[in-house]
Amino acid sequence: MHWAFYLSFFKVLLLLAITAPVALGFGFLGAMAARSHFLPLSLLGKGYIAIVRGVPDIAFFMFFVIALDQAFEWTRHKVLCPEWTDPVRQGNDFIVCQAAKLPLGSAPEWVHETYGFFLAVITFSIVFGAFAANVLFGGMRAVPHAQLETAEAYGMTRRQTFWRILVPQMWVYALPGLSNLWMVLIKATPLLFLLGIEDIVYWARELGSYKNPKFTQYPHGDWRMWYFLGLLVFYLGMTRVSEIGLERLMRRLSRGQATSGGELLRKETTA
Amino acid sequence: MSCLQTIQDYGLRSIGIGERLLPRNDFTLCEHFTLIGSGMIWNIYFGIMALATGFFLATALAMGKASTNKWLRKPSEWFIFLFRGSPLFIQFFFAYFLFLSLKQSFPFFDALTSAWLGALIVLFFNTAAYSGEIFYGALRSIPKGDIEAADAYGMTGWSRFRRIIWPTMLRLAWPAYTNEAIFLFHATTLVFFSAFPVWQQRGDALYYAGYFADKTFNPFIPYPILAFYFILLTLVVIWGFGMINKRLNRHLPAAKRSKMKLRLNLAR
């Protein structure tokens, strides 16, 4: 049925809706860590930012999906089966006790799918969190230093300065980078396919192909080209809509700011 | 089997020279390094070829987008939007199936369905669109005085472009272009994970890393090795582009010469 195909579009939108805020949270934590005066923490934050950007993101996707799964299973294995003495890695196998399997072998199909999707969301969030951390770190540094000095002169603590002065002002500096990141995130969603999720790419391949016996009630030749053309148009539409939306947001945020964008708005209204 | 032997057998495996069968069990660290490194040949091939060809189309696109002529501007704008606005992954799929159906009608297009040409064409268009946008941005920020000075000297047309506009554009665009080059190299890992088939297991670095991870079910060895190679490649790209940047800025007094401050921004 073609329902699965239509449903997979919602999967993409759901992924976007969950990943964007979570990645932003990861990014915020990363940027805070990188700014920290405590050396190991700042190295951790900077390392997180640097590594994810030096290596292709696809490599990370492939890595984290297996690594996270094994990490979860290993943890459960340690907790649930303490009497188990065999090593977890035996040659080319990764063996945990039955009770520690994720999802459980007896679980229904939808649990498997949800678990896969959950892993994908975490993976996306970790990778895009690093990009967001980079952008937010830049945004925090772009806030004029005089603002922070003034806050200190008023006797604010470091914590107060951070939350009351720095954070409210950094968004307008970070927004160009974040909107770029949003675009990149949209364009990364088809990679869900590589993580083993039955997403739009999967269904476009399945439905477009003429070989598939499941869909003999609509016999057709090889239409995969047209299905992918459809996806191309879908993504172009998403990009265009986001561009317009972000443009509006930028105008809103620039109002009254001491940036060239804000200056431009001021001139527009006075002229 | 000594490591030297492994390198002899598998060093050029990705282009079909050496041992035909991939190792099946008891993978050594040396085999990991050799095969994944061998796969890097493809990543470097795709990256360099796409950059070398894409550069010229990018210049043309930037000039087209900045042109006052509607017939030049609109196509360039659309081309850039088309390739920047959609995921590379989907572009690969679409191109592959397009080439596949072309091949069925005209056997002449046979080579297009294999990765070395088909994927290269997609990467060529893709990087041309991204760099074209970068160059267009640089074109618009060329100091007005430079062009006025060229006009005052009576330079027009080609000589003005070749001597004033183009070098200045490159100079301004270079840091962003370096960034684009790095992410293009990263994007080459997508080729064999989209529709383009891997012929006789001659894949790129990520393909071999994935092969090992599948066989050993242990991602903690192959992927860090892959990461190591890519960080190395990134450093080489930064170094090479830094050298060109130096040459582009060689006429400036040393104090004004902008040290290339490269902040890897994900701008794809």
Side-chain angles (χ1 to χ4, degrees):
Chain A
M1 274 292 137
H2 282 57
W3 276 114
F5 181 55
Y6 304 132
L7 202 69
S8 61
F9 281 91
F10 285 100
K11 259 185 204 166
V12 168
L13 296 179
L14 187 68
L15 176 84
L16 281 174
I18 302 176
T19 307
V22 177
L24 203 60
F26 272 46
F28 199 78
L29 289 180
M32 264 169 77
R35 271 187 93 251
S36 158
H37 283 246
F38 181 54
L39 189 69
L41 200 61
S42 116
L43 283 183
L44 188 76
K46 283 182 181 149
Y48 172 52
I49 296 176
I51 283 209
V52 176
R53 290 189 303 102
V55 178
D57 46 358
I58 312 129
F60 272 94
F61 288 134
M62 313 280 291
F63 171 77
F64 274 120
V65 165
I66 315 180
L68 282 173
D69 186 39
Q70 292 188 352
F72 289 145
E73 288 198 340
W74 184 79
T75 317
R76 280 168 58 96
H77 177 78
K78 285 283 164 202
V79 175
L80 295 174
C81 319
E83 71 281 0
W84 194 286
T85 49
D86 294 339
V88 171
R89 286 202 187 285
Q90 297 173 9
N92 288 343
D93 291 318
F94 181 84
I95 299 170
V96 292
C97 63
Q98 278 302 316
K101 280 261 162 55
L102 257 183
L104 293 172
S106 57
E109 178 62 23
W110 68 268
V111 175
H112 283 265
E113 278 180 17
T114 312
Y115 179 66
F117 190 75
F118 169 71
L119 283 184
V121 167
I122 301 184
T123 308
F124 265 79
S125 303
I126 292 175
V127 173
F128 277 87
F131 295 133
N134 180 44
V135 171
L136 292 178
F137 186 59
M140 285 177 187
R141 284 209 298 202
V143 173
H145 209 70
Q147 296 275 343
L148 306 182
E149 281 165 4
T150 312
E152 239 165 82
Y154 272 97
M156 284 190 183
T157 61
R158 274 181 58 84
R159 183 182 297 262
Q160 281 173 327
T161 314
F162 179 77
W163 286 110
R164 297 192 191 172
I165 308 296
L166 188 67
V167 173
Q169 289 193 52
M170 70 181 207
W171 296 110
V172 74
Y173 297 99
L175 190 69
L178 286 181
S179 40
N180 175 36
L181 203 60
W182 169 252
M183 299 291 192
V184 178
L185 180 62
I186 291 179
K187 284 184 271 175
T189 48
L191 297 179
L192 268 179
F193 171 70
L194 292 182
L195 310 185
I197 312 287
E198 296 185 353
D199 74 330
I200 45 181
V201 177
Y202 173 86
W203 285 111
R205 262 163 55 118
E206 286 290 306
L207 296 175
S209 159
Y210 58 90
K211 284 179 266 190
N212 203 321
K214 260 196 247 172
F215 305 107
T216 40
Q217 52 195 31
Y218 306 110
H220 59 66
D222 191 351
W223 282 1
R224 282 177 291 186
M225 185 178 123
W226 304 112
Y227 272 93
F228 278 103
L229 187 65
L231 290 192
L232 212 64
V233 172
F234 167 70
Y235 276 107
L236 285 176
M238 293 269 285
T239 307
R240 192 78 200 108
V241 168
S242 307
E243 263 177 10
I244 294 169
L246 289 167
E247 178 73 35
R248 284 206 185 137
L249 187 66
M250 188 67 199
R251 277 179 74 95
R252 275 283 281 276
L253 282 183
S254 296
R255 200 172 289 160
Q257 289 279 348
T259 55
S260 59
E263 185 66 14
L264 217 64
L265 278 179
R266 193 181 62 80
K267 275 186 190 147
E268 257 174 41
T269 44
T270 49
Chain B
M1 198 159 63
S2 73
C3 191
L4 210 65
Q5 182 65 41
T6 309
I7 293 177
Q8 272 180 7
D9 284 349
Y10 291 116
L12 296 174
R13 176 62 180 77
S14 63
I15 48 175
I17 300 173
E19 197 68 26
R20 199 172 137 73
L21 286 174
L22 293 184
R24 303 220 152 257
N25 43 21
D26 300 329
F27 304 99
T28 61
L29 212 56
C30 179
E31 282 170 344
H32 276 92
F33 266 104
T34 312
L35 260 180
I36 295 174
S38 158
M40 287 301 285
I41 296 173
W42 278 112
N43 296 104
I44 294 170
Y45 160 80
F46 282 127
I48 289 181
M49 294 299 280
L51 277 176
T53 50
F55 177 80
F56 297 100
L57 183 57
T59 310
L61 282 170
M63 293 305 289
K65 194 170 174 180
S67 157
T68 46
N69 184 344
K70 198 174 82 180
W71 295 103
L72 290 174
R73 196 178 64 239
K74 283 289 163 196
S76 315
E77 276 176 359
W78 272 100
F79 184 91
I80 290 177
F81 174 66
L82 185 70
F83 280 94
R84 286 184 77 229
S86 60
L88 179 61
F89 198 52
I90 303 284
Q91 288 166 24
F92 274 133
F93 271 110
F94 174 66
Y96 177 72
F97 292 121
L98 175 73
F99 293 153
L100 204 63
S101 55
L102 270 182
K103 181 172 122 177
Q104 272 149 13
S105 333
F106 313 97
F108 172 70
F109 292 109
D110 199 32
L112 283 175
T113 47
S114 47
W116 71 268
L117 185 61
L120 184 61
I121 290 176
V122 179
L123 282 169
F124 159 60
F125 284 146
N126 193 272
T127 188
Y130 278 98
S131 335
E133 184 68 21
I134 293 171
F135 288 164
Y136 168 70
L139 212 53
R140 289 210 310 178
S141 37
I142 291 178
K144 212 165 70 177
D146 286 20
I147 295 175
E148 282 169 353
D151 287 340
Y153 273 102
M155 284 186 181
T156 47
W158 174 250
S159 74
R160 189 179 74 159
F161 172 75
R162 171 69 191 81
R163 286 161 178 264
I164 309 294
I165 296 179
W166 194 59
T168 315
M169 177 191 88
L170 285 184
R171 210 153 50 81
L172 294 173
W174 209 252
Y177 189 57
T178 310
N179 196 47
E180 156 61 23
I182 290 166
F183 283 105
L184 174 72
F185 275 104
H186 289 184
T188 57
T189 50
L190 266 180
V191 171
F192 291 109
F193 278 84
S194 58
F196 287 96
V198 180
W199 187 58
Q200 292 183 346
Q201 296 187 312
R202 298 177 189 177
D204 74 332
L206 187 63
Y207 171 78
Y208 287 122
Y211 173 82
F212 284 122
D214 272 356
K215 292 275 183 235
T216 60
F217 210 56
N218 180 359
F220 296 97
I221 297 169
Y223 289 118
I225 292 174
L226 179 80
F228 162 77
Y229 277 121
F230 263 96
I231 288 171
L232 216 61
L233 182 63
T234 305
L235 291 177
V236 171
V237 171
I238 290 175
W239 176 80
F241 275 70
M243 296 298 277
I244 301 176
N245 187 50
K246 231 183 221 168
R247 194 177 151 74
L248 285 172
N249 285 310
R250 70 192 184 283
H251 60 288
L252 295 177
K256 277 179 92 178
R257 220 172 276 176
S258 60
K259 274 283 275 300
M260 193 161 71
K261 262 189 283 167
L262 190 71
R263 295 190 36 224
L264 276 185
N265 274 321
L266 186 73
R268 287 201 127 250

